[in-house]
Amino acid sequence: MANPASLLPASRSAVVTKTAVEVAPDRDTASTRLIYAYLGSATLWLLVGTLVGAYLGLKFATPDIDHVPWLSYGRLRPVHTNTVFWGWASLAMIALTLYVVPKTSRRRLHSLPLAWVSLGLINAAVLVGDLLLMSGINNGGQEYREYIWPVQGTFALGVILVTYNMIRTIAGRAIEEIYISNWYIMGGFLWTVALMVIAYVPVYQQTGISETVIQGFYMHMGVGMWFTPMVLGLTYYFLPKLLNKPIYSYSLGVLAFWTQMVFYSMIGAHHFIFAPTPWWLQTVAIIFSVGMIVTLAAGTGNFLMTMKGSFRTVARSYSLPFILVGVIAYFLFSLQGTFEAFRSLNRVWHFTNFTVAHSHLTMYGFVVFLIWGGIYGLLPRLTGREPSHFLAGVHFWFAFVGVAIYTIALMIGGTMQGMSWMAGDAFIDSVTMMAPFWLWRALGGGLMFLSHLIFAYNLWCMRPVRHESRQPLAAEAAA
């Protein structure tokens, strides 16, 4: 029998050699600098927001770690969520749309100066909002809308200006059809502008019940009609681009888009099952949550069928593995949300740490992994600079293993927590029971933060070259 060692060359690499990304032939220096400024700001907020999150994880394991008011859990928790939502994920998504929308419209962005103004407004909103939250000045206990209205209004103004910029860009497109990516991206922008208005107008939120109903609508729509359509729209561009093949089905993409718009807008009330909100409203939310299975099957099936036969290309890329994880997470953990809407399971899991795990699986495993896939797929093409393939891999595995440890611990602990409450055990018993799971949560969160430091370094390695001369887009030159 042959010695197995003799079958492998001694110089064989322990990892699959990654393929270098081709540099785009029509790089535009001004646009690249704008996109990199958005991504640089986003990454700074990623580090700030997740450093706060990692510290909060430590507080679960060591509650007496500090007694400083502005470091209290009640103040830092909204700093963590708002920073990663509005500072990191939002700016990173907008950065990628600043490339995708003009590219698929075959024209230059309508206004670069306006995009710089938007960047300044959004950064200012997150900075001031976080300082106010740490000072104890907030909009009350309303998740993801803790910023007071002048701050959130500044953020909304930034988004409105980007929306206008995108609309003008698409309206002036050099092709007849609107590419499927831009359906999703514009859907996300327009829904979010409406959502901000609905969430902050006080006239119909005079009672606790009405405020709760609006809160359920707002917090779920923030995820489902801002982050979800934006990253799906970006994936409809980056996945076929990186695979060098067309999307499997344009029709499936359109089906997923419209079912997302119809079903998702009515499911926010499933966050308040058994609450003193109308029973019929809760039932409608459950039914529409089940309807989301159509959206998930159409969207995920479309992406996976596009990848079919190209998994060797995925393995040799350092950006496509992020997209593959994001696509699978989109299906699995959105489906998990559908199951959580059922009254029988909601009784066990809601208000427990299981919900914390679910939010991280969707926002991190789905949204953030797709964002990273887009960044690694785009920036080297624009700047001509690649990150270390080894460090891109370390980033991927630290983030993947970290979020797995974090969420598996909280799903197991959260289920036990819910069962304890249903059995009528003393509340303190569930707190004691959760202690080892919170330790695993801190460990997983630490790994995730380390991966963010590596990503920040990789982003620096992909920075634009200063002396590069401006090269106009081919489409604009043709026009």
Side-chain angles (χ1 to χ4, degrees):
M1 183 176 178
N3 181 1
S6 65
L7 301 176
L8 299 175
S11 59
R12 177 170 178 170
S13 172
V15 298
V16 175
T17 303
K18 303 297 183 183
T19 306
V21 175
E22 293 181 2
V23 177
D26 55 353
R27 285 180 291 168
D28 180 334
T29 303
S31 175
T32 299
R33 286 177 180 165
L34 173 69
I35 292 169
Y36 192 79
Y38 268 82
L39 290 176
S41 299
T43 305
L44 176 64
W45 291 123
L46 171 70
L47 295 180
V48 171
T50 53
L51 177 62
V52 172
Y55 185 68
L56 289 172
L58 287 177
K59 288 172 86 78
F60 275 95
T62 54
D64 291 325
I65 192 171
D66 73 70
H67 295 88
V68 182
W70 55 273
L71 292 179
S72 62
Y73 183 85
R75 296 189 187 184
L76 285 187
R77 200 269 181 180
V79 170
H80 165 62
T81 55
N82 283 277
T83 303
V84 295
F85 271 33
W86 312 128
W88 151 240
S90 297
L91 280 177
M93 293 187 310
I94 293 172
L96 297 176
T97 64
L98 290 171
Y99 177 83
V100 171
V101 171
K103 191 71 177 176
T104 54
S105 300
R106 297 185 184 179
R107 63 155 294 178
R108 189 178 297 280
L109 182 70
H110 170 67
S111 172
L112 285 175
L114 203 56
W116 282 102
V117 172
S118 296
L119 176 62
L121 289 171
I122 294 173
N123 273 323
V126 178
L127 175 62
V128 174
D130 283 359
L131 291 175
L132 291 176
L133 288 178
M134 294 184 75
S135 303
I137 301 171
N138 57 65
N139 194 37
Q142 303 172 68
E143 200 169 21
Y144 311 142
R145 53 173 177 165
E146 291 93 345
Y147 287 167
I148 58 175
W149 72 263
V151 173
Q152 199 68 27
T154 304
F155 176 86
L157 180 58
V159 172
I160 289 169
L161 294 181
V162 178
T163 305
Y164 172 76
N165 222 345
M166 296 298 175
I167 290 174
R168 290 297 302 268
T169 303
I170 294 174
R173 65 189 182 280
I175 54 175
E176 183 178 355
E177 69 273 15
I178 298 177
Y179 184 63
I180 187 68
S181 289
N182 294 338
W183 286 57
Y184 281 87
I185 290 168
M186 287 315 304
F189 274 117
L190 293 174
W191 262 112
T192 301
V193 171
L195 186 63
M196 292 288 176
V197 175
I198 293 171
Y200 275 84
V201 171
V203 64
Y204 43 75
Q205 301 184 61
Q206 300 297 323
T207 67
I209 295 297
S210 59
E211 190 175 46
T212 299
V213 171
I214 293 297
Q215 174 62 21
F217 174 79
Y218 167 77
M219 64 190 290
H220 220 83
M221 292 289 282
V223 175
M225 303 304 271
W226 174 232
F227 299 107
T228 299
M230 291 285 280
V231 293
L232 291 181
L234 293 169
T235 303
Y236 271 105
Y237 175 79
F238 285 113
L239 181 60
K241 180 69 179 178
L242 294 171
L243 290 175
N244 195 27
K245 62 195 295 189
I247 197 73
Y248 173 72
S249 169
Y250 193 92
S251 299
L252 275 179
V254 174
L255 172 66
F257 172 82
W258 284 113
T259 52
Q260 170 88 12
M261 293 295 147
V262 171
F263 291 128
Y264 215 100
S265 59
M266 292 297 291
I267 67 177
H270 76 204
H271 278 274
F272 298 102
I273 303 296
F274 303 117
T277 54
W279 192 259
W280 66 264
L281 185 62
Q282 299 175 27
T283 303
V284 168
I286 295 170
I287 293 171
F288 277 64
S289 298
V290 174
M292 280 298 296
I293 294 175
V294 177
T295 309
L296 297 175
T300 309
N302 208 5
F303 292 138
L304 291 180
M305 290 303 291
T306 304
M307 293 186 198
K308 184 180 178 183
S310 301
F311 286 101
R312 186 175 178 83
T313 305
V314 174
R316 294 180 66 85
S317 164
Y318 54 83
S319 55
L320 284 168
F322 284 96
I323 294 179
L324 177 61
V325 169
V327 167
I328 293 174
Y330 167 56
F331 180 80
L332 290 180
F333 305 123
S334 298
L335 186 64
Q336 182 189 54
T338 295
F339 286 127
E340 285 185 72
F342 296 152
R343 288 190 172 96
S344 55
L345 295 174
N346 197 279
R347 292 180 67 224
V348 181
W349 286 332
H350 204 43
F351 299 119
T352 72
N353 280 258
F354 191 99
T355 305
V356 180
H358 172 66
S359 63
H360 281 77
L361 286 168
T362 51
M363 279 302 299
Y364 196 90
F366 158 43
V367 172
V368 174
F369 267 74
L370 287 182
I371 289 174
W372 279 328
I375 293 172
Y376 280 124
L378 174 63
L379 264 189
R381 292 178 56 79
L382 295 183
T383 66
R385 291 183 170 190
E386 286 195 284
S388 157
H389 293 183
F390 173 74
L391 287 181
V394 174
H395 168 210
F396 174 86
W397 284 110
F398 273 25
F400 184 81
V401 174
V403 73
I405 293 174
Y406 184 106
T407 53
I408 290 173
L410 290 187
M411 284 191 288
I412 296 173
T415 303
M416 295 171 63
Q417 195 178 24
M419 299 296 286
S420 172
W421 294 347
M422 291 172 66
D425 297 339
F427 182 77
I428 191 64
D429 291 346
S430 67
V431 176
T432 305
M433 182 184 63
M434 282 300 300
F437 297 106
W438 285 329
L439 195 57
W440 282 108
R441 167 190 173 143
L443 176 63
L447 267 179
M448 292 155 71
F449 181 68
L450 282 177
S451 80
H452 304 161
L453 291 174
I454 296 168
F455 166 67
Y457 176 74
N458 289 342
L459 188 83
W460 170 252
C461 293
M462 295 184 284
R463 67 192 183 279
V465 181
R466 286 190 173 185
H467 62 272
E468 184 179 19
S469 60
R470 178 178 175 279
Q471 299 182 43
L473 289 170
E476 185 184 70

